[in-house]
Amino acid sequence: MKRTLALLLAIVMLLSLSLSGCGGESGDNGSGADVGSNEDVEFLDLTGNLPIIKDQAAFEEANGGKLTAFIINDAARTVEVKDLTMVQRWKEDTGIEFDWQVASPDSVEEKLSLMLSAGDDLPDIFWNFIGGQSGQYAVQYSDQDIFMPTEDLINKYCPTLVKILEDNPQYQKEIVTPDGHMYGFPYIEQMKGLVMTSGPLLINSKWLDTVKKEMPTTVDEFSDVVHAFKEAGDLNGNGEADEVPVMTMFGPEEIDTFGSYNMFYRFTGCFGQADSYCYGNPYADHLAVLDGKITFTGNNESIRKTADFFHGLYEDGLLNVNCFEQTSTTNYTNSELIQPVAIPGVVGVWTDMQITSNEVRHEYEPIPQLTGADGGKSGFPLNYSEMQDTSDTCITTECKFPEVIACFVEYLISDPSLSVQSNWGAVGYNYYEDENGMLCFNLDDNGDIIPVEPYESFGDMRTNTTPARGSMIVLDEYYDTVCQYTYDAKTLLEFQHVNGKEEQLSRGTNVPKMLMTLEENQRLGQIQPVISDIVDRYVAGAVQNGTDDASWEQYKTELENAGVNELVEIFQTAYDRSNA
């Protein structure tokens, strides 16, 4: 009851926040630090004007050095973080020069664990955490005096964020922890629901013409087409038997971007109840909201029926032979999709830009939503949110000047053009400004971006001009006024709609991101990975060997013994709490 009251109070507080800008009554942020205690410091301007730090030397003397920022680096980045175009612009505008503590993605999990467990040598802020799980880190260490609550800082210095939270009450439910506090600042990337369904399911339309088949609209037609692909032989014309009628992967989930590559779950809806998962909300895998109740869908008959269907494809040699052995470095997005000829007949992608040959990419079209024998539809809504991180730029209790961080976040998000560039890349690389100041892409006649040397793609330019994925906010209302809709995602969104995006989202069955209590998180960490592993093993085994009553009953018993009912209960409690 106390946690529920704390949550309600925090939400009421947000709804009543002043929109008057920086400067107001000081208060305690919950960590013992007085918000606004540095307002009269002569080398700072915390009123919303720039620069925020007027005298860097004086600031460093008072602070004991630069503000330190821990960041998980992008493995593809070749420019040092401090030298990125947007970082240099931030420094010029705000006077803030961060000392970036850069961690390699290969070793960051251990480094984070050691740093946070020890609780010493902490940076002033954590720019990001692993896999969009900033809120889980904030909750996990909420009782160890490591992270500073930020609701009072937001109240006092972030009027833009206050207004966004007022306008999007679902985000308020996701950002407030069960102890009633907020930690860090959110990362919101609205793209007209882009991340709420899987990426496109594509089919090679050139191959369709060759085998004289129409675009499939039912599961039976799909099966007929992919069998025709196998029988046709050398469809890509390279003289090799390298064509794969259906290309998929069966895990691990962490390499499956927004549920796009494991084709199995796209088909579960065709056989009854659609299953759902998303690495960005991993504890909610195989859960859905049905009639207002959290329901485990991993033991629904649709799983068994889908396994039977894929077993038929497997037995007929229609799947890629390594579909059970995909890794982050060997999965088909890093192998078959980068070839100069088309390899898969049907494939799931996050974006068709993963097919790196422009000529090959234009051979593929999205498949319309498929219908099963009983009228069920393909695809599923992701258990996710467009507020992809709740607690980026997370301030530690070591930070002497938290107001500076809050004003820096307000600087990032109050200027939509700056927020867009900070998220996706700088003018002069990813964008140019047209005569009206709108951010536009320089595209060739085929609609592909013309990269700026020495870079070869939009992704290269993004990675090497901005840290990205901090506390930026991009709203739907920015498109066609502030910036063009991201050129590579425009096709992605169009293809998702062909795949049946509206119908999938209209089901309203997705489990939202919810911040759990420390105890809930600890228990979920014990039981949920075991449950997901049981599902993964059953699906892999059933696809290869087929199903039978005995193995199905054993599977359901394993799930019960692993604590699936407790999993549902924990999520139901959190769901009820967030909707109280």
Side-chain angles (χ1 to χ4, degrees), residues 172-188:
Q172 294 177 347
K173 296 177 182 179
E174 296 171 359
I175 195 175
V176 179
T177 62
D179 67 5
H181 289 304
M182 300 177 187
Y183 296 93
F185 305 84
Y187 167 57
I188 302 171

Side-chain angles (χ1 to χ4, degrees), residues 280-513:
N281 191 11
Y283 287 161
D285 284 351
H286 313 298
L287 295 176
V289 181
L290 302 178
D291 298 324
K293 296 295 183 182
I294 300 292
T295 305
F296 185 75
T297 53
N299 57 4
N300 187 277
E301 279 286 333
S302 61
I303 296 291
R304 180 177 177 177
K305 292 177 181 178
T306 306
D308 287 333
F309 173 72
F310 272 83
H311 175 64
L313 300 180
Y314 177 79
E315 284 282 281
D316 292 342
L318 301 176
L319 305 182
N320 45 313
V321 295
N322 62 344
C323 60
F324 301 102
E325 302 167 359
Q326 301 282 306
T327 69
S328 59
T329 55
T330 66
N331 73 74
Y332 62 70
T333 67
N334 296 317
S335 49
E336 287 88 352
L337 295 191
I338 64 175
Q339 300 305 314
V341 295
I343 302 297
V346 178
V347 65
V349 295
W350 169 237
T351 165
D352 67 330
M353 299 300 292
Q354 291 171 307
I355 304 172
T356 55
S357 164
N358 291 341
E359 183 178 353
V360 173
R361 180 167 66 253
H362 295 306
E363 293 183 17
Y364 288 87
E365 294 182 19
I367 298 177
Q369 191 171 28
L370 298 171
T371 304
D374 296 327
K377 300 288 188 178
S378 61
F380 57 91
L382 296 172
N383 290 335
Y384 201 53
S385 169
E386 289 183 301
M387 183 165 75
Q388 297 183 33
D389 253 348
T390 65
S391 308
D392 283 337
T393 322
C394 208
I395 306 174
T396 74
T397 51
E398 295 294 312
C399 184
K400 297 178 182 177
F401 293 92
E403 304 93 338
V404 170
I405 302 302
C407 284
F408 175 75
V409 170
E410 174 65 17
Y411 153 77
L412 281 182
I413 64 177
S414 61
D415 179 349
S417 176
L418 176 64
S419 203
V420 168
Q421 292 178 68
S422 298
N423 189 39
W424 281 314
V427 164
Y429 294 90
N430 297 65
Y431 295 100
Y432 70 89
E433 290 183 313
D434 69 7
E435 62 275 10
N436 298 314
M438 189 167 77
L439 301 176
C440 302
F441 299 104
N442 188 22
L443 305 179
D444 63 20
D445 292 340
N446 291 321
D448 299 313
I449 199 164
I450 301 173
V452 176
E453 292 185 353
Y455 307 116
E456 298 181 355
S457 68
F458 174 89
D460 283 348
M461 293 188 290
R462 180 188 190 186
T463 297
N464 287 290
T465 61
T466 180
R469 292 191 68 90
S471 296
M472 297 100 187
I473 296 179
V474 180
L475 303 178
D476 284 341
E477 65 197 53
Y478 296 174
Y479 301 118
D480 299 323
T481 55
V482 175
C483 62
Q484 292 179 331
Y485 191 86
T486 308
Y487 88 100
D488 56 335
K490 183 177 181 181
T491 300
L492 193 168
L493 185 64
E494 292 171 353
F495 285 2
Q496 285 180 326
H497 284 299
V498 175
N499 284 166
K501 189 180 191 75
E502 288 92 343
E503 191 278 337
Q504 292 163 33
L505 292 179
S506 70
R507 297 172 192 169
T509 58
N510 62 296
V511 177
K513 295 183 77 170

Side-chain angles (χ1 to χ4, degrees), residues 541-562:
V543 169
Q544 294 174 81
N545 306 312
T547 71
D548 57 61
D549 291 344
S551 61
W552 179 247
E553 293 303 320
Q554 180 182 354
Y555 165 64
K556 292 193 291 184
T557 299
E558 275 192 76
L559 289 170
E560 291 179 7
N561 292 340

